[in-house]
Each structure stands twice: as C-alpha cells, then as structure tokens.
Amino acid sequence: MADDRKRPIAVTRSSLPPLEEYVEMLKPLWESAWLTNMGEYHRQFAEQLKTYLGTPNLELFVNGHMALELALQAMDLSGEVITTPFTFASTAHAIVRNGLTPVFCDIDPVNYTLDADRLEELITDRTTAIVPVHVYGNVCDVERIGEIARRHHLKVIYDAAHTFGETYDGRGIGCYGDAAMFSFHATKVFHSIEGGAVAFRDEKLAPALYELKNFGITGYESVDSVGANGKMNEFQAAMGILNLRYVDGEIGKRRALARHYRGRLDGVEGIRLCPEDPRVRYNYAYMPVVFDGYRKDRDQVFAELAARDIHARKYFYPCVNSYACYRDRYDPALTPVADRISRQVLTLPLYASLSPDDVDRICDIILQ
Ligand SMILES: *Cc1c(COP(=O)(O)O)cnc(C)c1O
C-alpha cells in the first residue's frame, strides 16, 4: 500500500455525491432550460428540507448570508441588535448592511454561545432584536433567550449556520426563535455548493421573504420593496437534493471521528473540549479545542500542525469587534471571554472522508 502519511490535510473537505447521480439530475434542466427563478428542483428541495429539519415554514436563498440579511430586513427592525462577536463575519455584516447597529454581548465560557446572563444589561429602548449564533453546533440557551426576548418584545433570529439537522429536546433547531438561518456552503456539514435557508415561525413572513430575494417584485408591473437577488438556482437545488440523501451517513462518520478525537484529547490537562448536552442531537460540524494552560499555546499547536501540512483553523479569530471595519467603534475588552477564547481555540480537521489514522496523527502531534 502506498504510504500516504505525508498527504496534506485541510480543515474540511466538501462531500460530493456520485457524479453520475448529479449528471442524471441535470438532464431535465437541459430539456426545460429552466435554470433559476424558483424552478422544480427549488420547489422539491424546499419541501424536503421542511421535512428533514422539522420546520413547517422555510424559504431557500442563494447563500446563508443573503438568507440572514433578508430575514432581518423582512422583520422590519430598527435601532440596535444584540449579537455575539464570536462568530463569522456574516452575522454582524447582515445587521450593519440593514442599517442597524450591532451591540456585542460576551459569550458563555463553556459552550461559546451568547451569554444569556449578560444579555439583559445590554437591552436599551432602541433594541429591537437579538441575533445569537449556535456556535460549532452548540445550542444557545434558547429557553432563557426566548424568555428575555418575550419580556422585552424583541425578535430573535438565530444564526443556525452550524446546526444543520440538529434537534434540541426532540425539536428541529430551526423551530427556536422567530427565525433561524441555515447555510449550505460547500464547507458546511450539508451543502448545495452555496445555499441557505430561513426557517421561520410566523407563516405571514413568507411573502416578504419570497419578495425580498427577488428584488421586491410582486407582479409583472409591481415592485413593492427594496429587495435583492437572493435566489437559489436549479444547479444548487439539485446538489442539495442529492446531498440530503447522503447527509445522515456523513454525520455518522463525523460522529465516529469526533468520538475518536475525544478519546485521545478529553481529560488532557490544559485541553478543553465542549461538553455534550444530552438534549441536543449533534451534527459534528466542527472539532473545536481550547488550549488553556496547556504546555503549548494555540498558535504553537497551529504552527506544528501546519509544518506537517495539516491545516487546522483559528475559527473564530479575530473576534468580529476587532475587525478593521468595526474596531474604531467597538472595544473587544468589553467582551473578554470571546476575546480570550478566540486566542485559545483551534478547530481541528473534521470531515466524513478523514480517516481514524489521520485523527491519530493529528492527536500525536498535539500531544507529543
Ligand atoms: C457559513 C456561515 C455564515 C454564512 O453562510 P454562507 O452560506 O457562507 O453565506 C454565517 N454565519 C456563520 C456562523 C457561518 O458559519
């Protein structure tokens, strides 16, 4: 057998269905020449996702970011929106691009989601919504966030980009809050090349979401809102439909690899893994490891892996409130837990086609 021990390992690798199956899906597109604008695959994909995610109301989008940005627009918000700095650029950008002001709330030191204990002190009479993030597939404190939001009449829009297919207390994760955004980007657990969706509670939101992704067009001669182009095309929907057939198998492989990592790293002095909540059915999207008082720091582990062509990711680093485009308006010192975790965390390679030997090789380097 060929020695492949020197093969580079990226942090993630997109899963692809058998090529023949995708080609077969493309044939009807060549016949109908209906390539985008809510075609037959778009319709089928949305229906299948409603079933899979357990969410009765769902709208597809060209990507997760447009899904979030247009969901916020559909909610007709104003003023301030509380969110977390420990997330991907998209979350805060979606708020700012709606003319709203993000207010950064610190994170929970154990599961890295928005700290519900810090939430209420940030609410002002200008606050209209909360955008928490289910980071790494860890579920936010949905009960307390929901209770606080109800008391202050705030909307809750979850960035659920990391939690495709997860359930909490047996309910689909998209059922929590007024809306939840999913991302189907190629690097996510489940993908449609690029793609996204919004699951939402109030079915009356459906026309607004549909309109906003299609320029605000409501008829041949009428445009009622300042929408964007957020439509998912048929090639994306076809990929999504196919990948949905394989996603449970993919998650099963990820689960086995995540357990293998845990077996090697759990309990090591100075290394912290996220605890698993028995109420959550996880999708094993990421393998975050926090180096806190370990004999090597995060950057050292990152460099030692990189020297062997193994590419972990400093995800999320830096925090959003220290980006060049935000730092003159925000002080990362006001969210010290997020700031610290962003300097200590590394997400290790995790994808379905990674082998247990690869996991051992990575753990050997970390532990040596
Ligand atoms: C991937 C991601 C997004 C954006 O989704 P895209 O589909 O890439 O536009 C938003 N938020 C988080 C937390 C993400 O990981």
Side-chain angles (χ1 to χ4, degrees):
M1 244 210 295
D3 179 15
D4 65 354
R5 288 182 65 85
K6 292 283 182 310
R7 185 168 40 83
I9 299 176
V11 70
T12 188
R13 188 178 160 87
S14 300
S15 47
L16 283 161
L19 178 59
E20 318 77 66
E21 292 186 18
Y22 191 60
V23 171
E24 203 52 46
M25 295 276 295
L26 297 182
K27 289 180 181 163
L29 299 182
W30 259 252
E31 280 152 31
S32 67
W34 189 329
L35 308 184
T36 186
N37 284 28
M38 288 63 95
E40 178 57 20
Y41 285 147
H42 185 283
R43 192 191 62 74
Q44 287 177 17
F45 186 34
E47 286 311 309
Q48 291 177 16
L49 282 172
K50 287 179 191 174
T51 305
Y52 188 86
L53 297 172
T55 53
N57 304 309
L58 179 135
E59 198 62 58
L60 292 174
F61 289 87
V62 65
N63 58 51
H65 177 81
M66 287 307 292
L68 183 59
E69 192 171 311
L70 297 176
L72 293 173
Q73 189 178 347
M75 300 266 173
D76 214 6
L77 307 170
S78 63
E80 297 170 0
V81 174
I82 300 173
T83 189
T84 163
F86 193 68
T87 182
F88 185 56
S90 171
T91 320
H93 287 359
I95 295 168
V96 174
R97 291 170 59 82
N98 269 292
L100 303 163
T101 305
V103 172
F104 293 105
C105 179
D106 209 357
I107 59 170
D108 179 278
V110 176
N111 83 356
Y112 317 134
T113 64
L114 189 142
D115 187 348
D117 287 335
R118 299 259 85 86
L119 184 55
E120 221 158 356
E121 65 202 50
L122 298 172
I123 296 174
T124 70
D125 52 12
R126 288 173 41 79
T127 311
T128 55
I130 310 168
V131 179
V133 182
H134 299 304
V135 182
Y136 306 131
N138 294 339
V139 173
C140 296
D141 189 342
V142 289
E143 283 102 1
R144 284 194 56 213
I145 292 171
E147 186 272 310
I148 293 168
R150 270 190 299 281
R151 201 144 34 78
H152 293 271
H153 308 289
L154 307 176
K155 299 280 191 216
V156 180
I157 300 97
Y158 282 102
D159 179 333
H162 291 185
T163 37
F164 181 83
E166 290 197 353
T167 61
Y168 178 78
D169 265 346
R171 289 174 76 206
I173 197 69
C175 298
Y176 294 89
D178 295 284
M181 174 277 281
F182 293 97
S183 163
F184 313 143
H185 184 258
T187 56
K188 302 291 204 287
V189 167
F190 166 79
H191 77 86
S192 58
I193 310 172
E194 296 254 12
V198 174
F200 49 100
R201 174 180 295 156
D202 183 358
E203 63 185 3
K204 289 201 282 296
L205 205 61
L209 287 171
Y210 187 90
E211 253 168 69
L212 286 172
K213 74 173 175 185
N214 191 26
F215 305 102
I217 294 172
T218 51
Y220 286 113
E221 298 177 1
S222 53
V223 179
D224 291 358
S225 53
V226 185
N229 183 353
K231 294 176 267 106
M232 173 180 281
N233 69 51
E234 291 291 278
F235 294 76
Q236 293 175 282
M239 181 65 87
I241 289 168
L242 272 183
N243 279 337
L244 201 53
R245 295 183 193 155
Y246 294 96
V247 69
D248 289 337
E250 299 278 320
I251 291 173
K253 288 179 196 158
R254 285 170 174 273
R255 184 190 307 117
L257 293 162
R259 298 219 162 121
H260 198 86
Y261 269 123
R262 279 184 183 273
R264 295 288 315 268
L265 301 176
D266 213 5
V268 175
E269 174 99 31
I271 291 185
R272 259 185 13 236
L273 307 177
C274 293
E276 290 200 24
D277 181 339
R279 290 168 297 185
V280 179
R281 190 184 71 200
Y282 288 97
N283 64 7
Y284 304 93
Y286 299 92
M287 188 66 217
V289 177
V290 164
F291 297 92
D292 185 6
Y294 188 54
R295 54 198 159 73
K296 307 184 226 183
D297 67 20
R298 188 274 305 271
D299 290 343
Q300 210 176 335
V301 175
F302 177 84
E304 287 180 11
L305 290 169
R308 291 163 179 86
D309 232 350
I310 296 169
H311 304 282
R313 187 169 170 200
K314 298 177 189 177
Y315 189 66
F316 302 101
Y317 176 80
C319 280
V320 173
N321 49 2
S322 37
Y323 287 176
C325 57
Y326 292 127
R327 71 180 161 218
D328 55 345
R329 279 177 282 165
Y330 295 97
D331 182 1
L334 296 176
T335 52
V337 180
D339 195 54
R340 175 167 54 81
I341 298 299
S342 76
R343 293 168 201 281
Q344 295 178 326
V345 75
L346 203 57
T347 55
L348 300 178
L350 182 63
Y351 46 89
S353 59
L354 192 72
S355 73
D357 286 349
D358 291 330
V359 171
D360 278 325
R361 203 174 130 211
I362 293 162
C363 292
D364 288 344
I365 295 166
I366 295 170
L367 298 172
Q368 89 199 352

mmCIF file of all heavy atoms in Angstrom, residues 63-65 87-88 90-91 133 159 161-162 181 183 185 188 195 315, ligand 1:
data_model
loop_
_atom_site.group_PDB
_atom_site.id
_atom_site.type_symbol
_atom_site.label_atom_id
_atom_site.label_comp_id
_atom_site.label_asym_id
_atom_site.label_seq_id
_atom_site.Cartn_x
_atom_site.Cartn_y
_atom_site.Cartn_z
ATOM 1 N N ASN A 63 -27.461 31.866 -0.663
ATOM 2 C CA ASN A 63 -26.432 31.522 0.326
ATOM 3 C C ASN A 63 -26.944 31.895 1.714
ATOM 4 O O ASN A 63 -27.991 32.546 1.846
ATOM 5 C CB ASN A 63 -25.087 32.210 0.008
ATOM 6 C CG ASN A 63 -25.205 33.721 -0.060
ATOM 7 O OD1 ASN A 63 -25.739 34.342 0.852
ATOM 8 N ND2 ASN A 63 -24.722 34.311 -1.134
ATOM 9 N N GLY A 64 -26.207 31.483 2.721
ATOM 10 C CA GLY A 64 -26.645 31.725 4.098
ATOM 11 C C GLY A 64 -26.639 33.205 4.448
ATOM 12 O O GLY A 64 -27.518 33.690 5.162
ATOM 13 N N HIS A 65 -25.637 33.920 3.937
ATOM 14 C CA HIS A 65 -25.557 35.335 4.280
ATOM 15 C C HIS A 65 -26.778 36.112 3.787
ATOM 16 O O HIS A 65 -27.376 36.885 4.538
ATOM 17 C CB HIS A 65 -24.271 35.988 3.746
ATOM 18 C CG HIS A 65 -24.256 37.435 4.057
ATOM 19 N ND1 HIS A 65 -23.886 37.913 5.287
ATOM 20 C CD2 HIS A 65 -24.692 38.500 3.341
ATOM 21 C CE1 HIS A 65 -24.067 39.211 5.312
ATOM 22 N NE2 HIS A 65 -24.562 39.601 4.140
ATOM 23 N N THR A 87 -18.153 34.887 16.133
ATOM 24 C CA THR A 87 -18.897 34.338 15.013
ATOM 25 C C THR A 87 -18.177 34.685 13.728
ATOM 26 O O THR A 87 -17.119 35.326 13.745
ATOM 27 C CB THR A 87 -20.345 34.881 15.000
ATOM 28 O OG1 THR A 87 -21.069 34.280 13.923
ATOM 29 C CG2 THR A 87 -20.373 36.402 14.814
ATOM 30 N N PHE A 88 -18.756 34.260 12.623
ATOM 31 C CA PHE A 88 -18.233 34.558 11.302
ATOM 32 C C PHE A 88 -18.670 35.976 10.911
ATOM 33 O O PHE A 88 -19.689 36.480 11.409
ATOM 34 C CB PHE A 88 -18.803 33.520 10.328
ATOM 35 C CG PHE A 88 -18.277 33.610 8.932
ATOM 36 C CD1 PHE A 88 -16.914 33.556 8.662
ATOM 37 C CD2 PHE A 88 -19.160 33.715 7.865
ATOM 38 C CE1 PHE A 88 -16.444 33.624 7.362
ATOM 39 C CE2 PHE A 88 -18.698 33.772 6.565
ATOM 40 C CZ PHE A 88 -17.342 33.740 6.314
ATOM 41 N N SER A 90 -20.234 37.237 8.594
ATOM 42 C CA SER A 90 -21.588 37.360 8.063
ATOM 43 C C SER A 90 -22.607 37.858 9.081
ATOM 44 O O SER A 90 -23.471 38.678 8.750
ATOM 45 C CB SER A 90 -22.015 35.980 7.542
ATOM 46 O OG SER A 90 -23.369 35.951 7.205
ATOM 47 N N THR A 91 -22.537 37.380 10.308
ATOM 48 C CA THR A 91 -23.566 37.687 11.308
ATOM 49 C C THR A 91 -23.673 39.200 11.545
ATOM 50 O O THR A 91 -24.751 39.780 11.423
ATOM 51 C CB THR A 91 -23.261 36.961 12.637
ATOM 52 O OG1 THR A 91 -22.780 35.649 12.365
ATOM 53 C CG2 THR A 91 -24.495 36.886 13.521
ATOM 54 N N VAL A 133 -25.870 33.031 17.931
ATOM 55 C CA VAL A 133 -25.290 32.061 16.993
ATOM 56 C C VAL A 133 -25.109 30.729 17.720
ATOM 57 O O VAL A 133 -24.521 30.685 18.801
ATOM 58 C CB VAL A 133 -23.920 32.562 16.467
ATOM 59 C CG1 VAL A 133 -23.343 31.585 15.445
ATOM 60 C CG2 VAL A 133 -24.051 33.962 15.861
ATOM 61 N N ASP A 159 -28.618 32.647 14.077
ATOM 62 C CA ASP A 159 -27.676 32.223 13.049
ATOM 63 C C ASP A 159 -27.421 30.748 13.355
ATOM 64 O O ASP A 159 -26.678 30.406 14.285
ATOM 65 C CB ASP A 159 -26.396 33.052 13.126
ATOM 66 C CG ASP A 159 -25.361 32.631 12.081
ATOM 67 O OD1 ASP A 159 -25.384 31.458 11.667
ATOM 68 O OD2 ASP A 159 -24.515 33.472 11.717
ATOM 69 N N ALA A 161 -26.229 28.585 11.161
ATOM 70 C CA ALA A 161 -25.386 28.098 10.059
ATOM 71 C C ALA A 161 -24.630 26.815 10.440
ATOM 72 O O ALA A 161 -24.337 25.988 9.572
ATOM 73 C CB ALA A 161 -24.389 29.179 9.641
ATOM 74 N N HIS A 162 -24.323 26.656 11.727
ATOM 75 C CA HIS A 162 -23.534 25.489 12.156
ATOM 76 C C HIS A 162 -24.400 24.312 12.613
ATOM 77 O O HIS A 162 -23.847 23.294 13.037
ATOM 78 C CB HIS A 162 -22.623 25.869 13.340
ATOM 79 C CG HIS A 162 -21.504 26.796 12.976
ATOM 80 N ND1 HIS A 162 -20.524 27.159 13.872
ATOM 81 C CD2 HIS A 162 -21.199 27.424 11.816
ATOM 82 C CE1 HIS A 162 -19.673 27.991 13.283
ATOM 83 N NE2 HIS A 162 -20.073 28.172 12.038
ATOM 84 N N MET A 181 -31.444 30.961 10.466
ATOM 85 C CA MET A 181 -30.779 30.878 9.169
ATOM 86 C C MET A 181 -29.856 29.657 9.118
ATOM 87 O O MET A 181 -29.081 29.427 10.041
ATOM 88 C CB MET A 181 -29.951 32.149 8.936
ATOM 89 C CG MET A 181 -29.106 32.110 7.674
ATOM 90 S SD MET A 181 -27.507 31.273 7.832
ATOM 91 C CE MET A 181 -26.528 32.541 8.621
ATOM 92 N N SER A 183 -26.938 27.679 6.630
ATOM 93 C CA SER A 183 -26.037 27.850 5.490
ATOM 94 C C SER A 183 -25.751 26.492 4.863
ATOM 95 O O SER A 183 -25.478 25.519 5.571
ATOM 96 C CB SER A 183 -24.716 28.463 5.942
ATOM 97 O OG SER A 183 -23.719 28.272 4.940
ATOM 98 N N HIS A 185 -23.262 26.200 2.547
ATOM 99 C CA HIS A 185 -21.998 26.457 1.850
ATOM 100 C C HIS A 185 -21.200 25.161 1.741
ATOM 101 O O HIS A 185 -21.325 24.267 2.592
ATOM 102 C CB HIS A 185 -21.193 27.509 2.634
ATOM 103 C CG HIS A 185 -19.934 27.900 1.943
ATOM 104 N ND1 HIS A 185 -18.701 27.422 2.328
ATOM 105 C CD2 HIS A 185 -19.730 28.693 0.869
ATOM 106 C CE1 HIS A 185 -17.786 27.926 1.511
ATOM 107 N NE2 HIS A 185 -18.378 28.697 0.622
ATOM 108 N N LYS A 188 -19.752 23.405 4.742
ATOM 109 C CA LYS A 188 -20.596 23.043 5.876
ATOM 110 C C LYS A 188 -20.923 21.539 5.857
ATOM 111 O O LYS A 188 -20.685 20.862 4.858
ATOM 112 C CB LYS A 188 -21.884 23.873 5.848
ATOM 113 C CG LYS A 188 -21.658 25.400 5.875
ATOM 114 C CD LYS A 188 -21.108 25.885 7.196
ATOM 115 C CE LYS A 188 -21.341 27.322 7.560
ATOM 116 N NZ LYS A 188 -20.606 28.375 6.877
ATOM 117 N N GLY A 195 -25.555 28.065 -0.693
ATOM 118 C CA GLY A 195 -27.001 27.994 -0.473
ATOM 119 C C GLY A 195 -27.329 28.328 0.959
ATOM 120 O O GLY A 195 -26.444 28.381 1.816
ATOM 121 N N TYR A 315 -10.632 29.496 14.313
ATOM 122 C CA TYR A 315 -12.025 29.798 13.982
ATOM 123 C C TYR A 315 -12.795 29.859 15.274
ATOM 124 O O TYR A 315 -12.930 28.827 15.930
ATOM 125 C CB TYR A 315 -12.527 28.671 13.093
ATOM 126 C CG TYR A 315 -13.858 28.809 12.424
ATOM 127 C CD1 TYR A 315 -14.083 29.769 11.449
ATOM 128 C CD2 TYR A 315 -14.885 27.925 12.734
ATOM 129 C CE1 TYR A 315 -15.307 29.839 10.803
ATOM 130 C CE2 TYR A 315 -16.103 27.998 12.081
ATOM 131 C CZ TYR A 315 -16.301 28.955 11.118
ATOM 132 O OH TYR A 315 -17.502 29.024 10.474
HETATM 133 C C1 LIG B 1 -21.084 29.973 6.968
HETATM 134 C C2 LIG B 1 -21.629 30.942 7.941
HETATM 135 C C3 LIG B 1 -22.441 32.022 7.565
HETATM 136 C C4 LIG B 1 -22.677 32.435 6.133
HETATM 137 O O1 LIG B 1 -23.164 31.458 5.317
HETATM 138 P P1 LIG B 1 -22.808 31.445 3.755
HETATM 139 O O2 LIG B 1 -23.681 30.364 3.246
HETATM 140 O O3 LIG B 1 -21.344 31.159 3.623
HETATM 141 O O4 LIG B 1 -23.188 32.779 3.189
HETATM 142 C C5 LIG B 1 -22.983 32.813 8.556
HETATM 143 N N1 LIG B 1 -22.746 32.584 9.858
HETATM 144 C C6 LIG B 1 -21.961 31.581 10.266
HETATM 145 C C7 LIG B 1 -21.749 31.366 11.726
HETATM 146 C C8 LIG B 1 -21.357 30.732 9.329
HETATM 147 O O5 LIG B 1 -20.541 29.763 9.743
#
